Amino acid sequence: MKYKVGDKVKVKSREWYYKNKDKYGCVEFNNIISFIKQMTKYCGRDVVITDANDAYYTIDVDSKNTFMWTDDMFED
């Protein structure tokens, strides 16, 4: 994990999502975590990491911590 709590990052674009999604609407990074269609509402947004563990992040705009975010989901 390359980010820490408090880091400001940008969620990848909708163009990235549409280019990389599979027929089920997912961009898979491993067998556990995927970028799914419901996450596109955050595409292109600047967000702040609010929690980080060994597997995923949570971000400030996802107030219910519904999704698991990984390094691959953010712009470099």
Side-chain angles (χ1 to χ4, degrees), residues 23-68:
K23 64 183 179 180
Y24 304 107
C26 299
V27 180
E28 292 203 31
F29 297 105
N30 55 42
N31 293 331
I32 300 169
I33 299 175
S34 298
F35 193 102
I36 59 175
K37 184 177 182 179
Q38 292 85 344
M39 297 166 90
T40 61
K41 66 183 173 183
Y42 304 114
C43 284
R45 290 182 66 176
D46 290 322
V47 299
V48 176
I49 303 293
T50 56
D51 190 31
N53 61 46
D54 292 338
Y56 64 90
Y57 304 104
T58 56
I59 58 175
D60 63 330
V61 295
D62 184 13
S63 62
K64 295 181 183 178
N65 298 327
T66 306
F67 304 115
M68 295 181 287

Side-chain angles (χ1 to χ4, degrees), residues 7 10 15 18 49 53 55 59 62 67-68 73-74 76:
D7 284 351
K10 180 174 272 208
E15 291 79 17
Y18 289 119
I49 303 293
N53 61 46
I59 58 175
D62 184 13
F67 304 115
M68 295 181 287
M73 298 175 184
F74 304 121
D76 288 329

